[in-house]
Amino acid sequence: MKVVTEYIAVSTRGHTDIKDITPEAGRLLANSGIQNGAVTFFVSGSTAGITTIEYEPGLLQDVPAAFEKLAPERAHYAHDATWGDGNGSSHVRAALLGASLTVPFSGGKMLLGTWQQVVLIDFDTRARQRRVVMQIMGE
Amino acid sequence: MKVVTEYIAVSTRGHTDIKDITPEAGRLLANSGIQNGAVTFFVSGSTAGITTIEYEPGLLQDVPAAFEKLAPERAHYAHDATWGDGNGSSHVRAALLGASLTVPFSGGKMLLGTWQQVVLIDFDTRARQRRVVMQIMGE
Amino acid sequence: MKVVTEYIAVSTRGHTDIKDITPEAGRLLANSGIQNGAVTFFVSGSTAGITTIEYEPGLLQDVPAAFEKLAPERAHYAHDATWGDGNGSSHVRAALLGASLTVPFSGGKMLLGTWQQVVLIDFDTRARQRRVVMQIMGE
């Protein structure tokens, strides 16, 4: 049984920008040589989250629209009174989505559906450089 | 330390149908002979998710009602323009809920609460045959 | 490779009370002596959840407000007809947030952001004593 920790660097535009990290994750998993186990994706920081979607242009509009309804960018947030950084909505959205996702793999491949990609969603209100932790555990 | 990958087949009616997979998961865990570790449940596909609920008839109405409010089935989705398959709401709901859940176990039993079941929620707009990956890791 | 199962006891006031369990989790991780791997946090029970937030006073108002909008405490829930315990909103909120979070660690430290804490959110409608499972797996 082995543990391999990798990092995936992602540049985002913020504002619920959605980035597909599946190809890079697949390469890092193959490089690890581990055949069976689970990959945990985790985003360090409290204004972004990880999930899976079908990565196609329509959903890149629909998913941000759903988050805008859930926690509008321009609403009042007590967080903004604390820090004055104006990204209360980003924190609320990230807390709801969650910072981690665990994907099982077998034969060196993640057991994703054909139309299912692992994505980072950056809820911050400005462009960011993100680093997603990808931890591979297995044998 | 061992890794065992199992699959749970589930027939759903779609439309936020909620299926209790706890009994089958408990059997597969017992069969694995692994005593301590964590089980990852993962649904392959981008229109379903995994969570835990108290599996009782009232919540089987309340949870779908909450998702209907969050992302109504009959609203407009850009996804539907891409594919014409009319299940934009299913994708949005699944992205928000998440495709994975990890449950620790000890002494061969998942550390669930008494009134807490592991469920698949199928958000698609038609009946589906689903396969939930259940990956057991431990010793 | 080792598996260590710990428990973190938390007293809450319910009503979407948010408790920071990061300091205790850090101590338990250090005590385990395990250097690299992943920690799974899991709350037993179907009216609470786990996520990460920046633990500051503003968000302790904003996050409950978002859940109140999503599933209001005083709305009608079919769950309440089943049990008469009046916490339908708690169950719906918990199902949406999720009961598990997995955080990778390296060099004996969780790979959290500087302003990112692991929190238990208790959605029940009364004070509760909670026990969060913390399972450490690694080498």
Side-chain angles (χ1 to χ4, degrees):
Chain A
M1 183 74 74
K2 292 205 302 179
V3 179
V4 171
T5 306
E6 297 281 2
Y7 298 90
I8 298 174
V10 188
S11 297
T12 82
R13 288 166 296 136
H15 300 287
T16 311
D17 194 9
I18 304 177
K19 292 294 191 181
D20 180 8
I21 59 174
T22 319
E24 178 71 357
R27 273 191 292 276
L28 291 168
L29 178 55
N31 287 348
S32 77
I34 304 177
Q35 290 299 303
N36 299 296
V39 178
T40 295
F41 295 93
F42 182 83
V43 58
S44 300
S46 52
T47 52
I50 305 273
T51 190
T52 63
I53 66 162
E54 180 187 338
Y55 197 79
E56 61 81 21
L59 288 169
L60 299 191
Q61 296 176 46
D62 295 330
V63 171
F67 279 105
E68 178 60 25
K69 193 173 142 191
L70 203 57
E73 267 200 19
R74 284 163 192 285
H76 168 80
Y77 295 93
H79 175 74
D80 299 337
T82 307
W83 290 119
D85 49 4
N87 66 352
S89 63
S90 320
H91 285 273
V92 170
R93 295 175 187 196
L96 287 169
L97 186 61
S100 79
L101 172 82
T102 302
V103 183
F105 61 93
S106 186
K109 299 213 166 178
M110 290 187 283
L111 297 169
L112 294 163
T114 313
W115 310 107
Q116 184 181 27
Q117 279 78 43
V118 179
V119 296
L120 167 76
I121 306 186
D122 194 331
F123 298 112
D124 214 337
T125 50
R126 58 186 174 92
R128 295 286 302 260
Q129 299 297 323
R130 298 287 187 179
R131 211 175 64 147
V132 177
V133 184
M134 178 185 171
Q135 191 162 54
I136 307 161
M137 209 180 297
E139 60 188 9
Chain B
M1 183 72 74
K2 290 205 305 179
V3 179
V4 170
T5 307
E6 298 281 3
Y7 297 90
I8 299 175
V10 188
S11 297
T12 83
R13 289 166 296 138
H15 299 285
T16 311
D17 194 10
I18 304 178
K19 293 293 192 180
D20 180 8
I21 59 174
T22 319
E24 177 72 359
R27 271 191 294 276
L28 291 169
L29 178 56
N31 286 349
S32 78
I34 303 177
Q35 290 299 302
N36 300 296
V39 177
T40 295
F41 295 93
F42 182 83
V43 58
S44 301
S46 52
T47 53
I50 304 273
T51 191
T52 64
I53 66 163
E54 180 187 340
Y55 198 79
E56 62 79 22
L59 289 169
L60 301 191
Q61 295 176 48
D62 295 331
V63 171
F67 279 106
E68 177 59 25
K69 193 173 141 191
L70 203 57
E73 267 200 19
R74 285 163 192 285
H76 169 79
Y77 295 93
H79 175 72
D80 300 336
T82 307
W83 290 118
D85 50 2
N87 68 351
S89 63
S90 319
H91 285 274
V92 169
R93 294 175 189 198
L96 287 170
L97 186 61
S100 81
L101 172 81
T102 302
V103 183
F105 61 93
S106 186
K109 298 211 169 190
M110 289 186 283
L111 298 169
L112 294 163
T114 313
W115 311 107
Q116 185 181 27
Q117 280 77 42
V118 179
V119 297
L120 167 75
I121 307 187
D122 194 332
F123 297 111
D124 214 336
T125 49
R126 60 185 174 91
R128 296 286 303 259
Q129 299 297 323
R130 297 286 189 180
R131 212 173 65 146
V132 177
V133 183
M134 178 186 171
Q135 189 161 57
I136 308 160
M137 208 180 297
E139 58 187 10
Chain C
M1 182 74 75
K2 292 205 303 178
V3 179
V4 171
T5 307
E6 298 282 2
Y7 297 90
I8 298 175
V10 188
S11 297
T12 82
R13 290 167 295 136
H15 300 285
T16 311
D17 195 9
I18 304 177
K19 293 292 189 180
D20 181 7
I21 59 174
T22 318
E24 177 72 355
R27 274 191 292 276
L28 292 169
L29 178 57
N31 287 348
S32 76
I34 304 178
Q35 290 299 302
N36 300 295
V39 177
T40 295
F41 295 94
F42 182 83
V43 59
S44 301
S46 49
T47 53
I50 306 272
T51 191
T52 64
I53 66 162
E54 179 186 339
Y55 198 79
E56 61 80 21
L59 288 170
L60 300 189
Q61 296 176 46
D62 295 330
V63 171
F67 279 106
E68 178 60 24
K69 193 173 142 191
L70 204 56
E73 268 201 18
R74 285 162 191 285
H76 168 79
Y77 296 92
H79 175 73
D80 299 337
T82 307
W83 291 117
D85 50 3
N87 68 350
S89 63
S90 319
H91 285 275
V92 170
R93 293 175 188 196
L96 287 170
L97 186 60
S100 80
L101 173 80
T102 301
V103 183
F105 61 93
S106 184
K109 299 212 166 184
M110 290 187 283
L111 297 169
L112 293 163
T114 313
W115 311 107
Q116 184 182 28
Q117 281 77 42
V118 179
V119 297
L120 168 75
I121 307 186
D122 195 332
F123 298 111
D124 213 338
T125 50
R126 59 189 174 89
R128 295 286 302 261
Q129 300 295 324
R130 298 287 186 178
R131 211 173 65 145
V132 177
V133 184
M134 179 185 170
Q135 190 160 53
I136 308 161
M137 209 179 298
E139 61 188 7

